[in-house]
Short mmCIF file of all heavy atoms in Angstrom, two decimals:
data_model
loop_
_atom_site.label_atom_id
_atom_site.label_comp_id
_atom_site.label_asym_id
_atom_site.label_seq_id
_atom_site.Cartn_x
_atom_site.Cartn_y
_atom_site.Cartn_z
N TYR A 79 -58.19 138.04 7.75
CA TYR A 79 -58.32 139.01 8.82
C TYR A 79 -59.60 139.83 8.70
O TYR A 79 -60.21 139.89 7.63
CB TYR A 79 -57.09 139.93 8.86
CG TYR A 79 -56.88 140.76 7.60
CD1 TYR A 79 -57.45 142.02 7.46
CD2 TYR A 79 -56.10 140.26 6.55
CE1 TYR A 79 -57.25 142.77 6.31
CE2 TYR A 79 -55.89 141.01 5.39
CZ TYR A 79 -56.49 142.26 5.28
OH TYR A 79 -56.30 143.01 4.14
N ASP A 80 -59.96 140.44 9.83
CA ASP A 80 -61.10 141.35 9.87
C ASP A 80 -60.54 142.73 9.53
O ASP A 80 -59.61 143.20 10.17
CB ASP A 80 -61.68 141.33 11.29
CG ASP A 80 -62.96 142.12 11.41
OD1 ASP A 80 -63.09 143.16 10.71
OD2 ASP A 80 -63.81 141.72 12.22
N HIS A 81 -61.08 143.36 8.51
CA HIS A 81 -60.47 144.62 8.04
C HIS A 81 -60.71 145.82 8.95
O HIS A 81 -60.16 146.89 8.75
CB HIS A 81 -60.93 144.95 6.61
CG HIS A 81 -62.34 145.41 6.54
ND1 HIS A 81 -63.39 144.54 6.44
CD2 HIS A 81 -62.88 146.65 6.58
CE1 HIS A 81 -64.52 145.24 6.40
NE2 HIS A 81 -64.23 146.51 6.49
N GLN A 86 -56.26 146.72 7.94
CA GLN A 86 -55.86 146.69 6.53
C GLN A 86 -54.78 147.74 6.25
O GLN A 86 -53.84 147.49 5.50
CB GLN A 86 -57.07 146.90 5.62
CG GLN A 86 -56.66 146.67 4.18
CD GLN A 86 -57.82 146.58 3.23
OE1 GLN A 86 -58.97 146.50 3.63
NE2 GLN A 86 -57.52 146.59 1.96
N HIS A 105 -56.79 140.46 -3.07
CA HIS A 105 -57.62 140.70 -1.89
C HIS A 105 -59.07 140.37 -2.21
O HIS A 105 -59.60 140.86 -3.21
CB HIS A 105 -57.47 142.17 -1.47
CG HIS A 105 -58.19 142.51 -0.22
ND1 HIS A 105 -57.55 142.91 0.92
CD2 HIS A 105 -59.52 142.52 0.07
CE1 HIS A 105 -58.45 143.15 1.86
NE2 HIS A 105 -59.65 142.92 1.37
N ILE A 106 -59.66 139.54 -1.38
CA ILE A 106 -61.08 139.20 -1.58
C ILE A 106 -61.86 139.57 -0.32
O ILE A 106 -61.45 139.21 0.79
CB ILE A 106 -61.24 137.68 -1.87
CG1 ILE A 106 -60.59 137.33 -3.21
CG2 ILE A 106 -62.71 137.28 -1.88
CD1 ILE A 106 -60.36 135.85 -3.39
N HIS A 107 -62.97 140.28 -0.47
CA HIS A 107 -63.83 140.60 0.67
C HIS A 107 -64.79 139.43 0.83
O HIS A 107 -65.71 139.26 0.04
CB HIS A 107 -64.63 141.88 0.41
CG HIS A 107 -63.78 142.99 -0.15
ND1 HIS A 107 -62.70 143.50 0.52
CD2 HIS A 107 -63.86 143.68 -1.30
CE1 HIS A 107 -62.15 144.46 -0.22
NE2 HIS A 107 -62.84 144.58 -1.33
N MET A 108 -64.55 138.58 1.81
CA MET A 108 -65.32 137.34 1.93
C MET A 108 -66.72 137.57 2.49
O MET A 108 -67.67 136.89 2.12
CB MET A 108 -64.57 136.32 2.79
CG MET A 108 -63.26 135.87 2.14
SD MET A 108 -62.55 134.44 2.94
CE MET A 108 -61.99 135.14 4.50
N ASP A 109 -66.85 138.51 3.43
CA ASP A 109 -68.17 138.89 3.95
C ASP A 109 -68.06 140.32 4.45
O ASP A 109 -67.12 141.03 4.10
CB ASP A 109 -68.65 137.90 5.04
CG ASP A 109 -67.70 137.82 6.23
OD1 ASP A 109 -67.00 138.82 6.51
OD2 ASP A 109 -67.64 136.76 6.88
N GLU A 110 -68.98 140.76 5.33
CA GLU A 110 -68.96 142.14 5.81
C GLU A 110 -67.69 142.47 6.58
O GLU A 110 -67.27 143.62 6.66
CB GLU A 110 -70.17 142.42 6.73
CG GLU A 110 -71.50 142.38 6.03
CD GLU A 110 -72.07 140.97 5.85
OE1 GLU A 110 -71.36 139.98 6.19
OE2 GLU A 110 -73.18 140.86 5.33
N HIS A 111 -67.06 141.46 7.19
CA HIS A 111 -65.92 141.70 8.05
C HIS A 111 -64.59 141.10 7.56
O HIS A 111 -63.55 141.70 7.69
CB HIS A 111 -66.18 141.13 9.46
CG HIS A 111 -67.50 141.51 10.01
ND1 HIS A 111 -67.75 142.75 10.52
CD2 HIS A 111 -68.66 140.80 10.11
CE1 HIS A 111 -69.02 142.81 10.92
NE2 HIS A 111 -69.59 141.65 10.69
N ASN A 112 -64.71 139.89 7.04
CA ASN A 112 -63.49 139.12 6.77
C ASN A 112 -62.92 139.27 5.37
O ASN A 112 -63.64 139.25 4.38
CB ASN A 112 -63.76 137.63 7.03
CG ASN A 112 -64.03 137.37 8.50
OD1 ASN A 112 -63.15 137.54 9.33
ND2 ASN A 112 -65.26 136.99 8.80
N CYS A 113 -61.60 139.40 5.34
CA CYS A 113 -60.87 139.53 4.08
C CYS A 113 -59.90 138.36 3.93
O CYS A 113 -59.37 137.85 4.90
CB CYS A 113 -60.02 140.79 4.08
SG CYS A 113 -60.96 142.29 4.38
N LEU A 114 -59.69 137.97 2.69
CA LEU A 114 -58.68 136.96 2.37
C LEU A 114 -57.67 137.64 1.46
O LEU A 114 -58.05 138.29 0.47
CB LEU A 114 -59.30 135.77 1.64
CG LEU A 114 -58.30 134.76 1.05
CD1 LEU A 114 -57.75 133.85 2.13
CD2 LEU A 114 -58.96 133.92 -0.03
N GLU A 115 -56.40 137.52 1.83
CA GLU A 115 -55.37 138.13 1.01
C GLU A 115 -54.33 137.07 0.65
O GLU A 115 -53.92 136.30 1.52
CB GLU A 115 -54.71 139.28 1.78
CG GLU A 115 -54.47 140.50 0.91
CD GLU A 115 -54.19 141.75 1.72
OE1 GLU A 115 -53.03 141.92 2.14
OE2 GLU A 115 -55.12 142.53 1.94
NI1 NI B 203 -61.66 143.14 2.27
#
Side-chain angles (χ1 to χ4, degrees):
Y79 61 90
D80 186 326
H81 73 273
Q86 188 168 350
H105 184 115
I106 294 164
H107 314 301
M108 295 192 289
D109 59 28
E110 293 81 356
H111 312 283
N112 295 294
C113 303
L114 170 78
E115 222 164 83

